[in-house]
Amino acid sequence: MFVVKQFVKQITRRMGDRVELMICLGSSCFARGNKATLKSIQKFLEDHDLKDKVNFHGGHCFGNCAEGPNIKINGRLYTHVNEFKVIDILTNELL
């Protein structure tokens, strides 16, 4: 699985496609801390000069409220995300 993931990352970078990063802005996720996670993501993208490489936007409820807060990266769902855990996720996915 790791090899496939690395291959997809390499192809994506070569093709110039932007990574899609979506944060759930549903009321449950937002109440559970996605406001702080939003700020952490914005800072990470700025600190690593990734704003032009990542299409970062909010989305309506992902329908996974019990597992929230949630984010998606290129359609892959990450659950129980907080402002600290998101840094590890972004480092693994984007750097």
Side-chain angles (χ1 to χ4, degrees):
M1 181 68 173
F2 177 75
V3 173
V4 172
K5 185 176 171 183
Q6 292 302 326
F7 180 72
V8 169
K9 277 186 188 179
Q10 289 173 1
I11 294 220
T12 299
R13 287 186 182 135
R14 273 186 272 162
M15 294 175 64
D17 293 339
R18 294 175 74 185
V19 172
E20 182 181 28
L21 171 55
M22 190 172 4
I23 186 168
C24 180
L25 296 179
S27 57
S28 178
C29 283
F30 216 69
R32 292 177 187 222
N34 257 0
K35 182 176 182 179
T37 302
L38 173 73
K39 290 180 182 180
S40 290
I41 292 170
Q42 289 172 324
K43 183 168 176 14
F44 183 91
L45 295 177
E46 186 175 313
D47 289 350
H48 293 91
D49 197 28
L50 293 170
K51 286 186 174 185
D52 293 336
K53 296 173 180 79
V54 177
N55 179 20
F56 177 47
H57 58 96
H60 296 291
C61 180
F62 295 173
N64 221 29
C65 303
E67 304 294 318
N70 302 300
I71 65 168
K72 287 184 183 179
I73 300 176
N74 284 340
R76 182 175 180 188
L77 180 66
Y78 289 90
T79 60
H80 303 287
V81 177
N82 62 40
E83 63 187 297
F84 306 107
K85 184 178 177 182
V86 76
I87 300 303
D88 291 334
I89 294 168
L90 295 175
T91 300
N92 186 42
E93 287 287 338
L94 304 176
L95 299 181

